[in-house]
């Protein structure tokens, strides 16, 4: 490139270079079959480096310059342009009615207003995002953790249902009589193809293809899959695309991610438009005008289920109007505008052969029932969670009992009934000592769970805490799997999370050990070094504090900004009250945080960890506005929007919302009926405005 490229051109080129270089890395390192000369490879790397130097703010998370020389252990990670969300689940019709009512409440619509929804089968496969640029397939990725997936581009290219080139819907209708010639004519309006389009959908295997594949696998002594979903997942995530190609995978489109121009005004129109580009859309995709129609369509799909050529596990409803979807937004990882209505659980009967006790990362003793293996809804089940001591008592479980178990969707199988409860037998004696370390196991007053008191002395707890700390949702240290953690604990190198960052001191010892080579050691140590400045929410989540999941961790950091500030609050005089006031944090989480940070060995472990790593300050994903970081309190009733929508707007402005007024509040939005909070705001001299003025602020800030 001679002239300086535009920013858009540079971003585009950097993306392509990242993919391209990654592909050559894989060909070179993983498959020993480079396609280009070293000189050509170096030229790509140089071009990438020069572009990055010109546009430092465009350096990508998956930039080749941060990864050069590394052999990616497994498939390459790729950040999604827009997150791949999951769905809230419902089982009962009443929950569907509640969902529709919730949507209306959020949008502040009268109960009598009809909210049209689409309803379609929930395909039991694995979600996949296909990115098209200029009508050409450039990237295929799995969902991963929703933010970052795996690049499976060569594999998705082998799927017959995945077009490599999009078909223009206008060209299609014009060319219908000439055999539907493929056209790539670009046009963001009307029937043309958007310049950028990410089609989201489900990769699956048909029931018949699954049976045939398993028969072939069995005959050749290969892996036999438990169900079509596992077969599809195993086939898509192959390192070698020729294996994927030999597996009969299919794809149904059901949505989209990033798109450069609107696809329509409604979900229904947009999906139809995607269909016109050459995608398959699952049958029984419909638009419903009312809850009654939605439930009738659910029943129709349930009735058709056995005859469908592919597995489904429920029905997905989506608010049809896209402007409403936009207003509804998302909470945690699921949109407020969609719901998965799952089919009832499948049940089976078998024998309880043993009860094993597992020790979790918080020391909780969890009883696990070992069963005579039995098929439930297409999956062999050999283990069930028994939750806790009370559950065993409630069911009157004893070894040898016949039990009825059930499995619903992705939920862990459970015992729903003991079929031999009336026959006298010795009751199961729940252990009063930890089976792993022998420490006393106790349950605190009012708690059902029994916990090992061994803390970090208990190898099971140490192992689980370390495993959690490096897991995908937490620090995500690639290459530090269960086996390595166990090995390093055994060697005495790992006691606490901070020790992970001291593993580099054991480099030479590690190189001398069986199974470790120069590349694997370098990769592991590099993956660890990469996490010296971790995302603060992942770091906080990784500490394994009870009740603090990733979403709560984000809520906390949104409010406190840094882990240090949070710790100061938790150990301060009014810690409990200050933490409980954070939106999304209740008294239980607040208490868990206070307890955690008051415990001496936890403080030491965190200090030790902070001597090794420096979590980044929290960065709000929402835009920077004059409201960023400010605290807003809503009180009284609102007329044109619901309280939840107002809160969501405040968050989009970058502000936090709080449930109570204090000296730290910056603004109070008061509607009719506002009482003590309004009074307190006036006493404290905090700015108070009405709903209309609030709506004006939101409109003017343009979020
Ligand atoms: S929509 C923003 N529609 O179910 C909403 N998902 O449990 C994103 N799935 O990760 C999902 N069939 O992989 C949608 N018709 C359908 C679906 C579907 C299957 C999967 C999808 C998602 C998972 C959530």
């Amino acid at each position: 490139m001679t002239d300086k490229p535009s920013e858009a051109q540079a971003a585009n080129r950097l993306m392509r270079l990242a993919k391209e270089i990654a592909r050559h890395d894989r060909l070179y390192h993983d498959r020993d079959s480079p396609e280009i000369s070293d000189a050509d490879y170096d030229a790509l790397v140089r071009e990438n480096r020069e572009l990055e130097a010109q546009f430092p703010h465009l350096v990508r998370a998956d930039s080749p310059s941060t990864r050069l020389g590394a052999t990616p252990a497994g498939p390459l990670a790729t950040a999604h342009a827009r997150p791949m969300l999951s769905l809230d689940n419902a089982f009962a019709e009443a929950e569907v009615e509640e969902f529709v009512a919730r949507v209306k409440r959020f949008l502040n619509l009268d109960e009598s207003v009809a909210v049209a929804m689409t309803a379609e089968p929930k395909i039991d496969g694995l979600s996949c995002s296909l990115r098209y640029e200029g009508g050409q397939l450039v990237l295929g990725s799995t969902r991963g953790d929703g933010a970052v997936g795996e690049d499976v581009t060569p594999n998705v290219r082998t799927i017959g249902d995945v077009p490599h080139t999009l078909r223009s819907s206008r060209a299609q209708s014009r060319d219908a009589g000439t055999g539907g010639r493929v056209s790539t004519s670009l046009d963001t309006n009307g029937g043309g193809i958007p310049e950028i389009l990410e089609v989201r959908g489900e990769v699956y295997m048909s029931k018949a293809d699954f049976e045939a594949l398993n028969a072939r696998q069995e005959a050749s002594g290969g892996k036999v899959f438990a169900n079509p979903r596992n077969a599809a997942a195993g086939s898509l995530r192959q390192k070698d695309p020729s294996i994927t190609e030999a597996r009969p995978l299919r794809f149904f489109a059901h949505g989209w991610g990033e798109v450069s121009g609107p696809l329509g005004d409604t979900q229904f129109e947009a999906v139809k438009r995607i269909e016109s580009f050459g995608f398959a859309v699952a049958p029984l995709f419909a638009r419903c005008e009312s809850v009654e129609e939605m439930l009738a369509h659910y029943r129709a799909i349930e009735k058709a289920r056995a005859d469908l050529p592919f597995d489904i596990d429920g029905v997905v409803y989506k608010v049809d109007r896209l402007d409403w979807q936009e207003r509804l937004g998302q909470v945690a990882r699921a949109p407020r505008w969609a719901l998965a209505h799952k089919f009832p659980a499948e049940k089976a009967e078998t024998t309880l052969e043993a009860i094993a006790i597992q020790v979790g990362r918080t020391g909780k003793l969890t009883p696990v029932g070992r069963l005579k293996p039995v098929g439930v809804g297409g999956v062999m089940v050999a283990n069930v969670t028994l939750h806790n001591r009370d559950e065993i008592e409630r069911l009157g479980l004893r070894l040898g009992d016949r039990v009825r178990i059930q499995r619903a969707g992705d939920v862990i199988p459970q015992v729903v009934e003991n079929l031999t409860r009336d026959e006298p037998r010795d009751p199961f004696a729940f252990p009063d000592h930890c089976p792993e370390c022998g420490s006393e196991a106790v349950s605190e007053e009012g708690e059902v769970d029994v916990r090992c008191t061994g803390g970090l002395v208990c190898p099971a707890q140490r192992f689980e805490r370390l495993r959690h700390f490096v897991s995908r949702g937490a620090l995500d240290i690639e290459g530090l799997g269960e086996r390595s953690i166990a090995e390093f604990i055994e060697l005495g190198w790992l006691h606490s999370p901070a020790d992970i960052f001291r593993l580099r001191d054991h480099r030479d010892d590690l190189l001398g050990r069986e199974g470790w080579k120069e590349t694997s050691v370098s990769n592991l140590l590099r993956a660890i070094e990469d996490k010296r400045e971790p995302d603060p929410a992942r770091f906080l989540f990784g500490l394994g504090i009870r009740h603090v999941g990733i979403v709560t961790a984000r809520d906390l950091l949104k409010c406190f900004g840094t882990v240090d500030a949070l710790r100061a609050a938790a150990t301060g005089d009014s810690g409990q009250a200050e933490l409980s006031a954070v939106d999304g944090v209740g008294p239980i989480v607040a208490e868990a945080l206070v307890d955690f940070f008051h415990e001496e060995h936890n403080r030491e472990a965190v200090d030790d960890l902070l001597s090794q790593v420096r979590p980044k300050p929290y960065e709000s994903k929402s835009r920077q506005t004059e409201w960023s970081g400010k605290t807003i309190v809503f009180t009284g009733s609102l007329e044109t929007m619901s309280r939840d929508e107002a809160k969501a707007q405040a968050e989009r402005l970058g502000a936090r919302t709080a449930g109570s007024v204090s000296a730290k509040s910056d603004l109070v939005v008061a509607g009719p009926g506002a009482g003590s909070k309004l009074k307190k705001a006036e006493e404290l001299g905090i700015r108070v405005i009405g709903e209309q003025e609030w709506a004006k602020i939101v409109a003017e800030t343009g979020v």
Side-chain angles (χ1 to χ4, degrees):
M1 265 179 243
T2 43
D3 292 332
K4 186 170 170 171
S6 74
E7 194 163 276
Q9 283 170 328
N12 205 325
R13 183 67 190 145
L14 283 169
M15 188 191 75
R16 280 162 196 271
L17 282 167
K19 307 285 167 250
E20 180 77 319
I21 293 171
R23 195 171 74 84
H24 291 303
D25 280 344
R26 261 171 299 161
L27 286 167
Y28 182 85
H29 291 289
D30 292 349
R31 273 189 252 135
D32 289 329
S33 56
E35 274 178 9
I36 57 172
S37 69
D38 287 357
D40 287 346
Y41 175 85
D42 288 344
L44 290 175
V45 171
R46 211 173 315 117
E47 188 190 343
N48 185 75
R49 204 181 307 131
E50 279 163 13
L51 267 178
E52 286 186 342
Q54 282 182 44
F55 298 93
H57 60 292
L58 294 181
V59 174
R60 300 168 56 87
D62 62 352
S63 159
S65 46
T66 60
R67 214 193 43 227
L68 278 185
T71 311
L76 213 67
T78 171
H80 297 302
R82 283 183 55 185
M84 288 183 79
L85 301 176
S86 84
L87 292 167
D88 277 341
N89 288 334
F91 285 94
E93 294 197 347
E95 293 172 80
V96 178
E97 285 163 7
E98 171 50 29
F99 161 66
V100 178
R102 206 164 49 233
V103 164
K104 289 186 191 177
R105 276 201 303 276
F106 189 95
L107 295 172
N108 216 26
L109 300 174
D110 193 83
E111 255 175 63
S112 59
V113 175
V115 172
M117 301 252 183
T118 56
E120 69 204 73
K122 184 167 191 301
I123 314 298
D124 205 2
L126 73 154
S127 48
C128 184
S129 184
L130 304 170
R131 185 177 175 92
Y132 291 84
E133 290 177 1
Q136 302 295 322
L137 176 65
V138 293
L139 176 68
S141 46
T142 62
R143 177 168 180 273
D145 65 1
V148 177
E150 284 167 359
D151 181 341
V152 286
T153 314
N155 301 10
V156 294
R157 282 187 195 282
T158 68
I159 303 176
D161 288 339
V162 171
H164 293 194
T165 304
L166 297 182
R167 178 167 90 191
S168 152
S169 41
R170 254 203 247 140
Q172 181 209 7
S173 48
R174 200 172 52 227
D175 294 337
T178 62
R181 180 174 55 85
V182 171
S183 162
T184 56
S185 79
L186 295 179
D187 173 5
T188 17
N189 307 310
I193 298 163
E195 173 59 25
I196 292 176
L197 171 65
E198 283 179 3
V199 174
R200 302 256 164 103
E202 215 70 6
V203 170
Y204 68 99
M205 194 178 282
S206 78
K207 295 178 192 170
D209 285 339
F210 162 72
E211 298 295 342
L213 170 67
N214 261 0
R216 282 202 309 275
Q217 293 286 100
E218 199 158 357
S220 65
K223 181 178 163 62
V224 174
F225 296 98
N227 54 44
R229 201 185 104 87
N230 289 1
S235 304
L236 184 66
R237 299 181 58 208
Q238 287 291 332
K239 271 192 160 184
D240 178 356
S242 64
I243 299 183
T244 310
E245 189 163 22
R247 304 271 173 85
L249 294 177
R250 293 164 196 260
F251 180 81
F252 276 138
H254 56 57
W256 60 96
E258 186 182 354
V259 58
S260 55
L263 292 168
D265 292 331
T266 63
Q267 177 78 23
F268 194 80
E269 272 170 37
V271 170
K272 286 287 170 196
R273 181 105 186 276
I274 289 173
E275 189 174 30
S276 77
F277 297 149
F279 290 93
V281 169
L284 298 162
F285 171 60
R287 187 174 181 279
C288 304
E289 301 292 340
S290 63
V291 183
E292 291 71 32
E293 276 186 43
M294 287 158 66
L295 295 175
H297 196 60
Y298 171 87
R299 284 180 219 115
I301 292 178
E302 193 178 26
K303 207 159 154 221
R305 183 181 187 187
D307 297 322
L308 288 176
F310 47 87
D311 275 349
I312 63 173
D313 59 352
V315 172
V316 183
Y317 306 120
K318 297 172 191 166
V319 169
D320 198 31
R321 271 179 59 167
L322 298 183
D323 56 339
W324 282 352
Q325 286 191 7
E326 178 93 25
R327 274 177 65 190
L328 285 154
Q330 69 187 71
V331 68
R333 286 166 173 224
R336 284 197 193 85
W337 46 264
L339 182 76
H341 187 180
K342 296 292 208 61
F343 294 132
E346 315 230 19
K347 296 190 169 72
E349 287 175 27
T350 185
T351 308
L352 176 68
E353 294 186 326
I355 296 178
I357 302 287
Q358 286 178 354
V359 186
R361 101 185 117 82
T362 57
K364 181 182 162 197
L365 269 50
T366 304
V368 176
R370 306 275 188 231
L371 307 171
K372 186 160 184 278
V374 62
V376 195
V379 172
M380 288 307 281
V381 172
N383 298 305
V384 277
T385 172
L386 298 173
H387 302 290
N388 51 43
R389 184 177 52 188
D390 284 12
E391 179 73 356
I392 296 180
E393 268 171 34
R394 186 181 73 78
L395 290 161
L397 287 175
R398 285 137 182 64
L399 304 192
D401 281 351
R402 285 292 290 171
V403 288
R404 177 168 294 134
I405 62 165
Q406 76 171 25
R407 183 185 148 260
D410 302 335
V411 182
I412 305 165
Q414 304 192 323
V415 174
V416 282
E417 195 183 346
N418 184 350
L419 303 166
T420 12
R421 74 169 299 154
D422 296 334
E423 287 175 25
R425 247 176 260 192
D426 285 343
F428 176 75
F430 203 88
D432 51 13
H433 283 82
C434 172
E436 296 287 339
C437 70
S439 302
E440 214 186 331
V442 297
S443 55
E444 281 166 34
E445 219 182 283
E447 283 239 1
V448 289
D449 292 331
V450 177
R451 283 172 202 282
C452 160
T453 52
L456 285 174
V457 174
C458 174
Q461 285 187 59
R462 187 186 303 153
F463 176 76
E464 292 299 337
R465 282 186 196 194
L466 287 165
R467 198 168 72 133
H468 172 74
F469 186 73
V470 304
S471 68
R472 265 196 151 177
L475 252 65
D476 191 18
I477 299 182
E478 219 173 302
L480 192 51
E482 288 182 22
R483 276 228 310 271
S484 319
I485 294 177
E487 183 179 353
F488 300 155
I489 290 180
E490 183 81 33
L491 286 163
W493 297 348
L494 272 189
H495 294 94
S496 72
D499 292 335
I500 293 169
F501 295 91
R502 296 188 191 104
L503 282 172
R504 61 183 178 190
D505 302 343
H506 299 287
R507 185 173 221 277
D508 293 342
D509 301 329
L510 190 53
L511 273 170
R513 295 189 59 83
E514 203 185 312
W516 290 97
K517 295 206 183 68
E518 183 63 45
T519 15
S520 51
V521 173
S522 298
N523 285 345
L524 172 63
L525 296 178
R526 186 176 297 118
I528 293 171
E529 290 311 309
D530 276 355
K531 297 296 157 73
R532 289 234 181 224
E533 288 184 16
D535 170 82
R538 284 168 168 267
F539 176 85
L540 179 59
F541 169 61
L543 295 181
I545 304 170
R546 283 180 75 196
H547 309 298
V548 179
I550 187 71
V551 175
T552 307
R554 282 217 178 93
D555 287 343
L556 286 161
L557 284 158
K558 211 183 280 173
C559 184
F560 292 99
T562 64
V563 175
D564 274 335
L566 167 68
R567 180 160 74 164
T571 46
D573 287 345
S574 51
Q576 173 83 22
E578 205 177 327
L579 292 166
S580 306
V582 177
D583 234 17
V585 172
I588 296 178
V589 177
E591 191 179 332
L593 284 159
V594 170
D595 285 355
F596 180 89
F597 284 113
H598 272 92
E599 193 74 57
E600 171 111 24
H601 70 255
N602 287 336
R603 278 209 306 272
E604 279 170 16
V606 174
D607 280 341
D608 192 17
L609 194 48
L610 289 175
S611 73
Q612 296 293 329
V613 303
R614 182 187 295 268
K616 295 188 187 111
Y618 180 80
E619 255 179 55
S620 167
K621 289 267 174 344
S622 41
R623 275 184 29 200
Q624 284 293 314
T625 71
E626 60 173 306
W627 294 96
S628 302
K630 299 270 165 66
T631 303
I632 302 178
V633 179
F634 292 92
T635 177
S637 57
L638 300 172
E639 271 155 19
T640 60
M641 70 191 90
S642 63
R643 179 79 65 90
D644 284 342
E645 185 171 8
K647 281 188 182 177
Q649 288 174 337
E651 276 179 24
R652 282 204 290 272
L653 255 70
R656 323 167 179 137
T657 58
S660 58
V661 176
S662 74
K664 290 190 181 150
S665 313
D666 296 291
L667 178 72
V668 172
V669 182
S676 58
K677 290 184 197 168
L678 175 58
K679 210 168 133 235
K680 187 154 184 204
E682 282 162 354
E683 277 165 21
L684 292 168
I686 290 158
R687 182 177 167 202
V688 178
I689 61 169
E691 181 177 348
Q692 279 192 353
E693 203 174 331
W694 168 248
K696 225 171 100 199
I697 290 178
V698 174
E700 279 166 5
T701 321
V703 288

